[in-house]
Amino acid sequence: AQAQTHTCRAPFEVFADPLGNAHFSREQTRDYAYHKVPGPLTVTVKPAAPAHIRCTLRNSPGEGRPAIAVIAVEDAYQNPISDTAFDIALFPEQGENTSPSQTVKTKRRAGVHVPIPSVGAGVSRLGASCWPHGIYGVSNPLHPDFFGPNLKVYFGDLHVMTGSHGNLRMDGTTESAIRYARDVFGLDFTAVTNGPNPKLWPHDRDLFKAYHKDHRFVTMPAYENGLSTGHKNVYFPSEPEQVRPARTAEDLWKVLKNTECMVISHHTNTPSETDPEKSWSHHQIDTINPRFERLVEICQNRGSFEKDEIGDEVTLGGFGSSIRDILARGLRLGFVGGTDSHRGRPGSPYSNQSGMDARAHITGGITGVLCKELTRQEIWNALLARRCYAATSTRILLDVTLNGLTMGRDFRLTKKNKNRFAERTIRIRAVGVRPLTRVVIVRNGQEVFEQALDQTECDLVWQDTERLGKIHDRHIRGAYYYAKVYQQDGNLAWSSPVWLSFTP
C-alpha cells in the first residue's frame, strides 16, 4: 500500500517458479515448491531529500553543566541524513538569555551535540536553519526551573525493539537504537527491550554498560517478556549477568523473586494484530503484580489505551483492559510512554504497529521523568516514585499537583489531616511544543473538568468541592486524579495520578 519509510539494509529472497503457474508466494511451502535464487540479496533503503532540522533542547544533566542542543537533519520520514555535511545556524527563537547565534557543522554525522551554557529563567526555544538547502527547525520548549529549583524533566523512551535478536520483522541493532536515541532524537535515556535470549543477552548487556554515562546519556537495562496474557517489560537498576524467559505471569514472578527490578505492562487493551488466539491477548488485569509494577504504559505506536471506548485518541480498545479499567481495580500505577518501535527508533512514532500510520493517527510515546540530575539511579528512583508523565513523542512540559502533592503520590488520609482535603485544588501548568487547545481533569475514571485553550502556556486551577465521602470509591479504596493536555496538532500528555487513600 505504501513504500517503506524507514532506512535500513534488509535481506530478501527470490524464488523461481519452475511451472510458471503460481499466483501467490505460498510462504508455507516455498522452500521445496520453488527454486531459490542464490544470494546474498539485499535492498538498501536510503533517506529522501533533506526536509527539516530536528532541533532538540535537553535540560542541564547536572549541577554546573550546560544544557545541550542536539541537531540532526532528516528527510520527511524522520530518517537522519548522515552522508552530507551541513552548515546549520543556531539562533534564539524564544528566551532573552539563550546563547547567541552560532554555526555548527554536522560533519557527515547523524547528529551533533552543542552545549548551550546560557539558558536563562523562563521558557527558551532554539531555532536552526540551513538556507542553502531550504530547511529549518524549532526546538521543544526548555524551562530549567519549571518544576522548581530541585527537579528537572528528562525525556526517554522505555520501550524499543530491534532486529538484533534475529527477528526479520524488526530493523536495526541494539547499538544503532541507542545511538539514534542519543544522537538523533535527543533523548536523555532509553531502554532497548528485546526478548530475554540468554545467548544474546551478554551482547546487549555489554552495550548497555558501554553507552551508559551519568550526566550525559542513561541506558536502562531491560527486556520484554511476551506472555499470552499480555506483554510485560522488565527493567533493572544495573546490568544483571543473565536473564531467563518466563512462559506465564506466575513463572515470571518466580524468576524475578529475588531480583531488584521493575515491571511495566503495555498495549493493555488490544490483542495481537496477527494471531490473537495463538500469540497474545489483551492484558489480563489479574496478572499485574503491585510488588513489581508501579507504572503502566498509557501510550505507544499503537495509540493510547487510556479508555476502553474507541474514539478520539483511542484507536484500539473495547476489551475491558484500558488504563482506567486497571485503575478502577485499585491498582496504583503511574503513567509512562514508550514507542514499542520495532525499527530501533526510540522516540519516533514512525513504526506502524497494528497498521496504524503515524501520519493519520496520533501515536508514539515518551516518558518525562522528574529528578535532580541525569543519572541512572535518579531516573530509577523517580520511576519507582511514579514521579513521571507520558506524552505522545512530543516534549510537552506538564506539572500537576493536588493541594501541593506531586504527581505519583499516594497520600493516606487520617483523622488529623483529612480536613486539609475537604476541598482539593488541582493546579495544571503546561508548556506546549505547539499551542495547547484543551485541558481535562479525570477523577476516578470520569472527566470532571475541561477547559478550552488557545495558547502555548497555561497555568490554571480547578477546585473540587465535592465531599470526601461522596468521591470515595471502595474499589479504589479512595480517589485519584490526573490531568491531560492536548496540543493543536493532536499530540497530548498525561500526568501520573495522585491518590488519596481512605484506608491504610
Side-chain angles (χ1 to χ4, degrees):
Q2 62 184 40
Q4 176 160 314
T5 58
H6 273 58
T7 57
C8 71
R9 185 173 175 83
F12 73 102
E13 296 175 317
V14 174
F15 292 84
D17 170 22
L19 299 180
N21 62 354
H23 296 287
F24 51 91
S25 63
R26 295 183 65 186
E27 291 282 332
Q28 304 277 341
T29 60
R30 63 185 182 183
D31 287 334
Y32 62 84
Y34 308 130
H35 295 308
K36 184 176 180 180
V37 177
L41 303 168
T42 61
V43 167
T44 300
V45 183
K46 295 184 177 181
H52 67 274
I53 299 172
R54 179 176 294 281
C55 180
T56 304
L57 272 179
R58 294 174 51 191
N59 256 315
S60 161
E63 185 74 27
R65 299 172 184 267
I68 302 165
V70 180
I71 310 298
V73 177
E74 297 179 330
D75 69 7
Y77 307 102
Q78 297 188 351
N79 294 304
I81 298 174
S82 57
D83 60 355
T84 304
F86 297 93
D87 291 341
I88 297 175
L90 302 182
F91 51 89
E93 181 72 21
Q94 180 183 356
E96 297 179 358
N97 301 317
T98 309
S99 295
S101 300
Q102 57 180 306
T103 300
V104 300
K105 296 179 182 291
T106 61
K107 298 179 181 179
R108 297 182 184 273
R109 288 184 289 173
V112 294
H113 294 239
V114 183
I116 308 293
S118 55
V119 175
V123 177
S124 294
R125 298 174 200 258
L126 195 65
S129 65
C130 181
W131 295 123
H133 289 271
I135 54 177
Y136 64 93
V138 177
S139 77
N140 55 290
L142 185 68
H143 191 322
D145 300 318
F146 187 76
F147 298 94
N150 298 319
L151 294 176
K152 290 182 171 59
V153 62
Y154 299 105
F155 288 102
D157 185 346
L158 289 168
H159 190 183
V160 179
M161 303 185 75
T162 74
S164 296
H165 289 205
N167 190 332
L168 297 182
R169 294 174 300 166
M170 304 179 189
D171 296 333
T173 66
T174 298
E175 185 170 19
S176 68
I178 293 172
R179 292 178 67 90
Y180 181 89
R182 186 189 67 183
D183 299 334
V184 178
F185 214 83
L187 295 174
D188 298 295
F189 62 93
T190 198
V192 178
T193 53
N194 288 321
N197 187 318
K199 293 182 179 179
L200 298 174
W201 173 259
H203 173 264
D204 279 7
R205 179 195 64 209
D206 292 345
L207 286 172
F208 297 151
K209 287 182 179 179
Y211 278 91
H212 171 72
K213 297 286 188 298
D214 280 344
H215 302 115
R216 186 188 177 197
F217 182 79
V218 169
T219 62
M220 302 295 292
Y223 67 85
E224 176 170 338
N225 204 125
L227 305 170
S228 62
T229 54
H231 287 196
K232 297 178 185 290
N233 291 339
V234 182
Y235 303 83
F236 305 93
S238 60
E239 294 83 0
E241 285 301 307
Q242 194 50 270
V243 296
R244 183 166 72 86
R247 296 179 61 86
T248 66
E250 293 77 11
D251 187 30
L252 181 63
W253 310 134
K254 292 177 183 177
V255 168
L256 301 177
K257 182 178 180 180
N258 298 314
T259 306
E260 184 181 7
C261 62
M262 184 189 319
V263 176
I264 301 177
S265 299
H266 57 268
H267 52 56
T268 59
N269 208 23
T270 186
S272 167
E273 56 266 30
T274 56
D275 194 354
E277 294 185 5
K278 294 183 179 179
S279 185
W280 47 271
S281 70
H282 60 280
H283 220 85
Q284 304 300 309
I285 299 177
D286 290 341
T287 69
I288 295 177
N289 187 336
R291 177 183 171 187
F292 296 98
E293 300 190 57
R294 304 272 293 176
L295 304 162
V296 66
E297 190 177 273
I298 195 172
C299 61
Q300 57 147 264
N301 285 354
R302 290 179 177 87
S304 161
F305 297 101
E306 178 191 2
K307 298 178 285 187
D308 194 51
E309 303 78 18
I310 296 173
D312 298 324
E313 66 274 12
V314 176
T315 306
L316 304 172
F319 293 93
S321 295
S322 72
I323 304 305
R324 291 188 188 177
D325 293 323
I326 292 170
L327 295 179
R329 296 280 195 97
L331 291 158
R332 266 68 169 157
L333 301 178
F335 299 159
V336 298
T339 58
D340 197 3
S341 170
H342 284 201
R343 291 175 173 171
R345 297 289 182 87
S348 172
Y350 284 86
S351 181
N352 300 338
Q353 303 294 67
S354 297
M356 290 177 61
D357 189 339
R359 291 165 291 179
H361 302 278
I362 298 301
T363 67
I366 56 175
T367 303
V369 174
L370 311 185
C371 51
K372 183 179 179 181
E373 58 184 349
L374 182 61
T375 67
R376 184 185 283 176
Q377 192 61 53
E378 280 282 311
I379 297 290
W380 181 263
N381 291 343
L383 290 172
L384 279 178
R386 300 179 292 240
R387 199 167 56 245
C388 54
Y389 64 94
T392 54
S393 289
T394 187
R395 292 170 173 84
I396 298 171
L397 300 180
L398 177 62
D399 186 30
V400 178
T401 58
L402 187 157
N403 286 17
L405 299 175
T406 58
M407 63 181 85
R409 285 287 302 275
D410 183 3
F411 188 83
R412 187 165 68 90
L413 296 178
T414 65
K415 290 182 179 179
K416 292 183 179 180
N417 65 31
K418 70 177 183 179
N419 287 337
R420 287 171 43 201
F421 294 88
E423 292 186 352
R424 294 152 306 282
T425 301
I426 292 87
R427 184 184 182 190
I428 303 116
R429 298 168 55 246
V431 181
V433 177
R434 288 185 169 84
L436 302 169
T437 59
R438 188 160 52 117
V439 171
V440 174
I441 294 176
V442 177
R443 181 187 69 198
N444 295 358
Q446 302 297 317
E447 298 183 0
V448 293
F449 172 80
E450 180 176 339
Q451 181 166 321
L453 300 170
D454 186 16
Q455 57 207 55
T456 306
E457 302 178 34
C458 80
D459 186 347
L460 59 88
V461 168
W462 177 68
Q463 199 87 10
D464 188 358
T465 58
E466 290 275 10
R467 291 185 300 105
L468 281 174
K470 191 172 181 180
I471 68 167
H472 175 229
D473 186 312
R474 62 185 181 84
H475 298 290
I476 299 170
R477 304 186 309 279
Y480 71 80
Y481 297 79
Y482 67 84
K484 54 181 176 176
V485 295
Y486 292 80
Q487 280 192 167
Q488 194 176 67
D489 59 4
N491 281 291
L492 67 158
W494 298 259
S495 73
S496 284
V498 176
W499 287 268
L500 298 177
S501 292
F502 286 54
T503 57

